[in-house]
């Protein structure tokens, strides 16, 4: 069973997006990359991303991830910001009661998109 | 750079430019309203070429199949020939039966239609100015059970539509409109849930409708309504809102002014700070925010950060 099913499918991802996005917006170190962004559109993208890392149905392509972050890389997006986002994902999962092993699994999948996000 | 062919002329469309922006830049006007892909006023057909799928979101399947799309959110990726089909949006005729000033810059207009219009309080209509391509979206302050549609029109400096509605339109005149549409309305899915309504300026129109709709549905949870303006002269419907708060124990009305003395039960200051201080924790609340887009955006984020769920925050989708 995928973590997506284990957590409770789409409704659980919606709850996770709220927690995750709220943590991200409260983080002064990364907030500048989210300024002026439409909240609902951003939440929809995060939902697609979390669905993917939880092993739910997705049509993730590295190309979208690369294109979508290029302008941010030009503004200085780097590994340190990526680490912050991973940390927020980790604490979101912990808040949802996901076990340590599963969290590591999810973080490994999320980490696998690093090169695409940072356009390397 | 994609070339857009419209009425036998070719127009170059810049990268990241929508078809609506491209046509406007070239001096071509087509009917448009919300500029956000919601009101569907700018519905356009691709005669040649394929519109991007995200420019077809919210359209009926039958229209998608015929290559209709929304010009205001369509960033073309390849050449397209487009046409406007005026038969698509069905216009409704409304007779002006009331025109009264609510304060020095807001006019109330009531429209009666021959057939009842199917809508939910808080939705909006797209009003057309006769003999022009100008269309503007206005939220409905009325309830479907009432005998007329009620609009609140703020006079915009040099505004063509608001100037027309304030100065030229007369009682008995006919106004054409389409809609109603929009997702910002009350649902009785949880009548115990506390509701926070934040209105800025004429953002009160949809919220006045939503508030009364919630009460008509027997909403049980607390209802907090904040109405903000620069000064007390910009507020309106104060007597009506005081009366609703007096009649219903669970309704609380807070008029807010940025400058000058606050009226009875009101507060002076920034509406966002006033709301934050009054209700610091919004976990479990449903929040409706209407008015100036910049303030709405900032209030949405603040409400989310204060604990309201993303799916529990509703707002007006259109630009003024």
């Amino acid at each position: 069973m995928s973590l997506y099913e284990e957590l409770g499918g789409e409704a659980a991802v919606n709850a996770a997006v709220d927690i995750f996005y709220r943590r991200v917006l409260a983080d002064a170190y990364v907030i500048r990359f989210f300024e002026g962004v439409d909240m609902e559109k951003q939440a929809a993208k995060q939902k697609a991303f979390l669905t993917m890392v939880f092993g739910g149905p997705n049509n993730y392509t590295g190309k979208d991830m690369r294109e979508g972050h290029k302008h941010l890389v030009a503004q200085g997006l780097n590994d340190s910001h990526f680490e912050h986002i991973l940390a927020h994902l980790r604490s979101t999962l912990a808040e949802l009661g996901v076990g340590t092993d599963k969290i590591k699994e999810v973080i490994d999948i999320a980490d696998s998109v690093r090169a695409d996000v940072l356009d390397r | 750079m994609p070339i857009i062919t419209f009425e036998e002329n070719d127009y170059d469309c810049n990268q990241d430019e929508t078809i609506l922006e491209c046509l406007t830049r070239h001096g071509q006007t087509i009917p448009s309203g919300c500029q956000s892909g919601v009101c569907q006023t700018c519905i356009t057909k691709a005669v040649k070429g394929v519109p991007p799928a995200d420019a077809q979101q919210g359209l009926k399947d039958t229209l998608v199949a015929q290559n209709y799309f929304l010009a205001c959110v369509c960033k073309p990726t390849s050449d397209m020939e487009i046409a406007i089909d005026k038969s698509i949006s069905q216009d409704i005729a409304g007779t002006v039966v009331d025109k009264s000033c609510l304060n020095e810059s807001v006019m109330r207009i009531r429209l009666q239609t021959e057939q009842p219009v199917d809508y939910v309080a808080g939705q909006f209509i797209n009003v057309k100015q006769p003999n022009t391509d100008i269309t503007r979206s206005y939220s409905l302050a009325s309830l479907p059970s009432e005998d007329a549609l009620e609009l609140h029109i703020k006079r915009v400096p040099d505004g063509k539509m608001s100037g027309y509605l304030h100065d030229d339109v007369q009682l008995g005149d006919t106004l054409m409109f389409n809609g109603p549409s929009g997702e910002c309305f009350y649902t009785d899915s949880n009548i115990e849930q506390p509701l926070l309504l934040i209105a800025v300026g004429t953002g009160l129109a949809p919220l006045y409708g939503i508030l009364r709709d919630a009460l008509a549905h027997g909403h049980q949870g607390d209802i907090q309504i904040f109405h903000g303006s620069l000064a007390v002269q910009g507020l309106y419907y104060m007597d009506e809102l005081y009366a609703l708060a007096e009649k219903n124990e669970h309704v609380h009305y807070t008029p807010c002014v940025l400058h000058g003395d606050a009226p009875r039960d009101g507060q002076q200051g920034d509406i966002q700070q006033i709301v934050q201080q009054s209700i610091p924790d919004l976990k479990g609340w449903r929040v409706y925010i209407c008015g100036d887009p910049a303030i709405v955006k900032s209030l949405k984020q603040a409400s989310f950060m204060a604990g309201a769920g993303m799916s529990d925050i509703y707002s007006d989708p259109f630009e003024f």
Side-chain angles (χ1 to χ4, degrees), chain A residues 18 21-22 25-26 36 40 43, chain B residues 297 300 304-305 307-310:
Chain A
D18 272 12
Y21 193 15
R22 206 173 276 128
L25 287 178
E40 270 125 22
Chain B
K297 198 169 180 183
K300 268 167 84 171
F304 177 66
M305 295 308 281
M310 184 81 67

Side-chain angles (χ1 to χ4, degrees), chain A residues 11-31:
Chain A
V13 176
N14 284 337
V17 168
D18 272 12
I19 299 170
F20 177 60
Y21 193 15
R22 206 173 276 128
R23 282 179 183 277
V24 169
L25 287 178
D27 181 352
Y29 191 72
V30 298
I31 182 71

Side-chain angles (χ1 to χ4, degrees), chain B:
Chain B
M1 218 179 327
I3 302 291
I4 304 303
T5 309
F6 175 59
E7 292 180 346
E8 297 179 10
N9 287 307
D10 289 345
Y11 303 106
D12 57 307
C13 191
N14 291 331
Q15 198 182 353
D16 253 355
E17 193 176 46
T18 66
I19 288 191
L20 180 63
E21 287 165 345
C22 164
L23 292 177
T24 307
R25 181 167 57 83
H26 287 99
Q28 282 286 353
T29 50
I30 61 167
S32 69
C34 72
Q35 322 259 320
S36 313
V38 180
C39 77
Q40 305 194 353
T41 303
C42 65
I43 187 161
T44 306
K45 184 178 168 104
V47 182
K48 282 183 195 151
V50 180
D54 54 4
Q56 297 181 304
Q57 271 181 22
L59 292 182
K60 291 194 182 82
D61 292 349
T62 48
L63 294 175
V64 170
Q66 296 171 77
N67 277 341
Y68 281 96
F69 65 97
L70 301 173
C72 73
V73 289
C74 179
K75 294 180 179 174
T77 48
S78 56
D79 293 356
M80 284 165 73
E81 183 177 340
I82 61 169
I84 306 282
D85 182 348
K86 294 198 165 70
S87 67
I88 279 294
S89 65
Q90 281 188 340
D91 286 356
I92 304 172
T95 307
V96 180
V97 293
D98 170 42
K99 195 180 163 189
S100 18
C101 292
L102 297 178
N103 65 28
E104 59 194 22
S105 66
V106 177
M107 178 78 75
R108 178 179 67 201
I109 286 185
R110 285 205 174 103
L111 297 174
Q112 251 170 15
T113 53
E114 227 165 75
Q115 301 291 324
V117 177
D118 186 21
Y119 73 99
V120 188
Q123 285 191 306
F124 63 91
I125 61 172
N126 308 299
V127 179
K128 305 186 169 192
Q129 185 177 342
N131 309 316
T132 68
D133 277 331
I134 298 173
T135 303
R136 290 289 179 273
S137 306
Y138 293 104
S139 293
L140 297 167
S142 46
L143 300 182
S145 55
E146 294 166 341
D147 63 355
L149 303 173
E150 174 175 331
L151 315 176
H152 299 169
I153 320 290
K154 162 102 178 152
R155 186 192 280 279
V156 179
D158 297 322
K160 287 180 182 143
M161 184 61 125
S162 65
Y164 167 74
L165 293 173
H166 272 254
D167 302 330
D168 302 329
V169 100
Q170 306 281 332
L171 286 182
D173 282 359
T174 299
L175 285 174
M176 301 303 292
F177 65 90
N178 64 39
S181 45
E183 314 293 329
C184 182
F185 52 78
Y186 178 79
T187 56
D188 57 3
S189 51
N190 180 0
I191 61 166
E192 304 286 339
Q193 191 173 20
L195 303 184
L196 169 60
L197 316 183
I198 316 172
V200 179
T202 48
L204 183 62
L207 294 185
Y208 186 63
I210 288 169
L211 167 62
R212 292 181 305 135
D213 196 30
L215 292 173
H217 279 88
H219 192 83
Q220 302 287 312
D222 256 6
I223 307 178
Q224 289 272 2
I225 179 160
F226 294 78
H227 185 204
S229 183
L230 284 177
V232 75
Q233 291 81 2
L235 298 172
Y236 61 90
Y237 270 1
M238 293 177 73
D239 291 343
E240 286 81 351
L241 290 164
Y242 281 132
L244 281 173
E246 259 157 48
K247 205 174 138 197
N248 302 279
E249 219 172 80
H250 60 313
V251 175
H252 310 275
Y253 165 51
T254 312
C256 306
V257 293
L258 194 57
H259 306 294
D261 292 335
R264 173 162 67 93
D265 300 340
Q267 292 200 47
Q268 187 266 323
D270 175 72
I271 188 164
Q272 187 164 323
Q273 282 170 10
I274 294 172
V275 173
Q276 269 166 354
Q277 279 158 12
S278 309
I279 318 171
D281 184 359
L282 287 176
K283 194 165 197 288
W285 285 69
R286 199 190 311 170
V287 186
Y288 294 88
I289 310 167
C290 298
D292 176 78
I295 304 176
V296 167
K297 198 169 180 183
S298 147
L299 282 164
K300 268 167 84 171
Q301 182 154 335
S303 304
F304 177 66
M305 295 308 281
M310 184 81 67
S311 58
D312 273 330
I313 304 175
Y314 298 81
S315 66
D316 259 345
F318 53 86
E319 303 281 332
F320 281 73

